[in-house]
Amino acid sequence: MPVTPELRAKILRYRLVELWRTGTIAAQLGVHHGTVERILRQDGLPRIGVVRASNIDSYLPFIVETLKKFPTLRASRLYAMVKERGYHGGPDHFRHLISHHRPRPLPEAYLRLVTLIGEQGQIDWGHFGYQQIGKAKRPLMAFVAVLSWSRRIFLRFSLDARMESFLRGHVQAFEAWGGVPRVLLYDNLKSAVLERQGDAIRFSPTLLAFAAHYHFEPHPVAVARGNEKGRVERAIRYIRDNFFAARTFTDLDDLNAQADAWVNGPADERLCPQDKTMTVGQAFVQEQPRLLALPANPYPVEERVVVKVGKTPYVRFDLNDYSVPHTQVRKALTVLADTKTVRILDAQTLVASHARSYDKAQQIETESHIKDLVERKAQAHAQRGMGRLSQAVPASVELLVQAGARGENLGSITQALLRLMDRYGATEVQTAVLTALARKVPHPNAVRLALETQREERQAPAPVGVQLSDKIRARDTVIHAHPLASYDQLSSPAPSGESAHANPVATPTTATTSEKTSTASKSKATEPQSTTQRSDKDESKE
C-alpha cells in the first residue's frame, strides 16, 4: 500500500493525539506495522512499546564504530565480520537491523553553473542498443555534443566508439556549428583520459594533438560529478525520449539523415533554457560568431591499422577479409579506413581500395586480384571454385564432407555443382543440395534429380546449356613439350659391322638405288629401333 500524505497524517495524529500503539494503528488502517514504525521514526518519534533484547545488541558498538570509519561498507561484508566475532543471527535479519544504524549523509547542494556565450561545449557518448548487420551484432552509439550557452545539439550515430569515431564526431560537429568552443568538457572517457589520480590527469596524446589542431582546451569533469556536464546528460535523455523512441530506419545513413532533420527542426524550435524569450536556434545564431574559427584543413580521422598478409591475398580488418594483389603476400601493409572506404597501402603506395563492410566473416574482393592469381596458379582455380561454391551454396560444404568420407572425387563433384549452379541458380541448387542431404545421397546426380523435380513442380522450361564444338574445345587442350633427346638417335654413329649407308640421315638425293635397298633390308633387321624412331616422329607431329 503506498504511503500517501493522507495516510501519513492519520498515523501521526493517532499516535500523538489518540496515543494509539503501533499495532492498533496498523490494524485500524490496514497497513503493516513496519510501515507505521518507519513513518513515526522519520518524524523523529521514539519507538513505541517494549524493545526486546536482540542478538545484535552486544555487537552494536563494534558495528557503529565500523560504520563511522566506512559509511559505505556493504551489509554482507559487515555480517561476515560480526559472524567471525560470534554472531549467530541470519543475514536477512542482520541486513534489516543494519539499515537502522547506518549513518545517513546529508544531501549535497549544487550551484547552478553559468557559462559565457561561445565559451564551452560538452561531449559524451550515448548507447542506443545494438544493430544486427548480417552475421555481426554491432553496438549503436550516439556521439552527442552540446553548446552550453545556446543548447545547440549535434547528433551523429556510429557502429563503434573507437577513438577515430570519437574524433570524427568532433570534426563533424565543428563543421555543423561553423566554429569551435574554447573549452570542451568530457566525462572520464577512455578516449579522453588515460589515467587519473585525484587532480593529476594524463590525457590521451591523440586527443591532445587533436585539441592543438583546433585550439580548444579539453577539460574533464570531476569523478562522480555528472552535474558538471548536465547539459549533455539531459540532451542524451532528450534524444532518447523525443527522437529515438519508436523510430524506424533502414540503415545507419538513414538514421543520421533523420537525426540531422530533427536537430535542425524540433530540437532547434524548443525554448532556450538560458533565455526563455528565444528558441535554441535563435540563441545559436547569436553564439555562432563567438566561436573560434575553423582551421584551413580538417584533422585526419581515418582509422589506421598495420596488418600482416598471410599466404592468401587477403588482409583481416574489422571482422572481414579484404583482397590485395597476390604480389603483396607475406608483407606488412597499412589499412586506412573511414565509414565508407577501406584503403590498403604498401608504404605510400595504394595497392587496394574496397567499400567497407560492417558484416562479419565476409570476403570483399576485387575481381582483378583473384583473376591474376588464377592465371598464375592452376591450382588456385580449383580452390576458387570451392570458395565460390561455399559462398553461394552453403549446404555444399556438408555435401562435400560426406562425399569425401565415401571416397568420392571432390574436384569433379565441385565442378558438377558449379555447372548446375550456373544453369539453375544458387538458390535452387541450395534447396536441391538440402534435399539430397536429407535423402543421405551426397552426389551431384541426386542434386540434379532434385533440381529437375523442383523445375517440374514449377512447370518451368528446362535450362539450355551452351554446347561448344570440338574445334572450340581443342583450343583449350594442354600441349606438353616433347623431350628433344629422342631425336639424338637420328644423328648417332652406326653400330659396328653395319655399313655407313645404313645411316638414316644420309641425303636422299645422293643415295643410289643399291644403297636404298641395303638401307631397307637393314631397317628390317633393326625393327625395334625404327619403331622407336617412328613413334618419336609421330609424337612430335602431335
Side-chain angles (χ1 to χ4, degrees):
M1 180 177 180
V3 179
T4 62
E6 181 182 1
L7 177 62
R8 182 184 184 87
K10 287 182 178 181
I11 292 175
L12 294 175
R13 183 168 60 85
Y14 291 152
R15 174 66 189 109
L16 297 175
V17 178
E18 306 297 341
L19 302 179
W20 287 4
R21 294 181 177 274
T22 301
T24 305
I25 297 174
Q28 296 301 319
L29 297 180
V31 297
H32 194 271
H33 64 85
T35 303
V36 177
E37 291 179 357
R38 184 176 74 252
I39 293 175
L40 296 177
R41 189 166 54 251
Q42 290 173 353
D43 204 63
L45 297 178
R47 187 171 181 179
I48 305 169
V50 179
V51 180
R52 293 180 298 176
S54 175
N55 293 337
I56 201 175
D57 291 343
S58 57
Y59 300 94
L60 281 178
F62 169 76
I63 292 173
V64 172
E65 186 65 25
T66 303
L67 289 176
K68 285 182 180 179
K69 295 181 180 178
F70 310 100
T72 60
L73 188 66
R74 301 181 72 88
S76 58
R77 178 58 189 145
L78 195 57
Y79 174 74
M81 295 172 68
V82 298
K83 190 175 181 180
E84 292 176 355
R85 290 164 171 80
Y87 179 71
H88 299 291
D92 295 335
H93 183 61
F94 178 83
R95 186 179 294 108
H96 173 71
L97 295 175
I98 287 299
S99 64
H100 301 320
H101 299 281
R102 186 181 296 278
R104 304 293 179 184
L106 294 175
E108 184 177 358
Y110 297 96
L111 293 173
R112 180 176 294 236
L113 301 179
V114 179
T115 59
L116 299 176
I117 182 171
E119 180 71 17
Q120 185 190 96
Q122 299 183 7
I123 307 293
D124 204 356
W125 281 111
H127 189 274
F128 285 77
Y130 293 89
Q131 284 294 110
Q132 190 71 35
I133 302 178
K135 302 176 183 178
K137 183 180 181 182
R138 295 183 178 270
L140 182 61
M141 306 297 297
F143 175 87
V144 182
V146 178
L147 291 175
S148 298
W149 189 82
S150 66
R151 305 300 204 277
R152 174 67 179 240
I153 296 175
F154 175 80
L155 173 62
R156 182 68 74 236
F157 289 91
S158 66
L159 296 175
D160 58 64
R162 297 190 179 99
M163 173 62 81
E164 292 76 17
S165 299
F166 189 59
L167 299 183
R168 187 180 299 113
H170 284 73
V171 174
Q172 294 170 342
F174 297 159
E175 292 175 352
W177 293 337
V180 184
R182 289 167 174 77
V183 178
L184 286 180
L185 291 186
Y186 299 95
D187 202 348
N188 291 276
L189 301 170
K190 293 182 179 179
S191 302
V193 179
L194 297 182
E195 186 179 4
R196 181 167 188 161
Q197 293 292 336
D199 294 334
I201 300 171
R202 185 163 68 93
F203 282 99
S204 166
T206 305
L207 180 63
L208 292 177
F210 181 80
H213 184 82
Y214 285 97
H215 310 137
F216 69 87
E217 177 189 354
H219 184 73
V221 300
V223 177
R225 286 294 184 271
N227 64 296
E228 296 185 9
K229 61 178 187 66
R231 290 167 173 82
V232 70
E233 297 284 356
R234 286 191 294 271
I236 293 176
R237 185 167 64 248
Y238 177 58
I239 292 168
R240 292 187 191 277
D241 297 339
N242 291 270
F243 171 74
F244 193 76
R247 184 168 296 273
T248 59
F249 52 92
T250 57
D251 54 19
L252 191 67
D253 292 337
D254 179 36
L255 180 59
N256 282 324
Q258 296 184 44
D260 289 339
W262 178 79
V263 165
N264 296 319
D268 262 7
E269 295 169 359
R270 73 191 194 278
L271 293 179
C272 177
Q274 197 78 15
D275 188 348
K276 297 291 187 179
T277 63
M278 56 183 174
T279 64
V280 170
Q282 294 170 344
F284 174 70
V285 172
Q286 298 182 20
E287 187 174 23
Q288 198 279 330
R290 305 290 185 91
L291 300 176
L292 298 175
L294 293 173
N297 298 314
Y299 191 85
V301 291
E302 287 184 311
E303 190 171 353
R304 185 184 184 94
V305 181
V306 176
V307 294
K308 177 71 175 178
V309 186
K311 61 183 179 181
T312 58
Y314 296 92
V315 298
R316 174 62 60 85
F317 172 73
D318 193 21
L319 307 179
N320 295 297
D321 293 332
Y322 295 85
S323 69
V324 296
H326 66 274
T327 55
Q328 302 298 322
V329 296
R330 304 295 185 183
K331 287 185 178 181
L333 303 179
T334 302
V335 173
L336 296 179
D338 56 22
T339 57
K340 300 294 183 182
T341 308
V342 174
R343 297 186 298 143
I344 305 172
L345 289 80
D346 182 8
Q348 301 298 323
T349 304
L350 180 67
V351 298
S353 180
H354 301 276
R356 182 166 184 173
S357 172
Y358 288 95
D359 204 339
K360 179 181 180 181
Q362 298 298 307
Q363 289 184 350
I364 297 89
E365 301 171 343
T366 299
E367 184 178 356
S368 60
H369 297 163
I370 306 303
K371 183 178 179 181
D372 292 344
L373 180 60
V374 170
E375 291 177 354
R376 289 185 61 88
K377 291 184 175 291
Q379 186 179 4
H381 180 71
Q383 296 297 329
R384 176 61 184 162
M386 288 186 180
R388 177 191 168 202
L389 183 63
S390 62
Q391 288 288 331
V393 185
S396 63
V397 177
E398 180 62 24
L399 188 142
L400 291 174
V401 170
Q402 295 186 15
R406 296 187 176 193
E408 300 286 346
N409 189 329
L410 299 184
S412 62
I413 293 178
T414 301
Q415 295 302 320
L417 292 178
L418 286 174
R419 288 193 295 270
L420 292 176
M421 188 177 69
D422 292 337
R423 295 182 64 184
Y424 290 88
T427 304
E428 295 294 326
V429 174
Q430 169 74 6
T431 305
V433 170
L434 293 175
T435 303
L437 292 175
R439 295 174 179 173
K440 298 182 179 181
V441 186
H443 196 273
N445 290 339
V447 177
R448 188 179 295 107
L449 179 61
L451 287 169
E452 284 299 313
T453 303
Q454 294 169 192
R455 181 186 63 79
E456 291 174 0
E457 291 176 354
R458 298 193 313 271
Q459 297 181 354
V464 180
V466 179
Q467 300 295 332
L468 300 178
S469 64
D470 294 338
K471 183 178 180 180
I472 299 298
R473 295 181 183 276
R475 294 179 182 177
D476 297 330
T477 303
V478 179
I479 300 177
H480 300 282
H482 190 79
L484 301 179
S486 59
Y487 292 99
D488 293 340
Q489 300 178 14
L490 300 177
S491 58
S492 60
S496 59
E498 293 182 0
S499 172
H501 297 292
N503 190 348
V505 297
T507 305
T509 56
T510 59
T512 61
T513 305
S514 60
E515 289 174 343
K516 294 179 180 179
T517 304
S518 175
T519 302
S521 62
K522 291 183 178 181
S523 298
K524 295 180 180 180
T526 59
E527 184 175 355
Q529 180 179 358
S530 300
T531 302
T532 303
Q533 293 175 356
R534 285 197 306 272
S535 63
D536 292 341
K537 292 179 180 180
D538 293 339
E539 290 178 5
S540 65
K541 290 179 181 180
E542 293 176 357

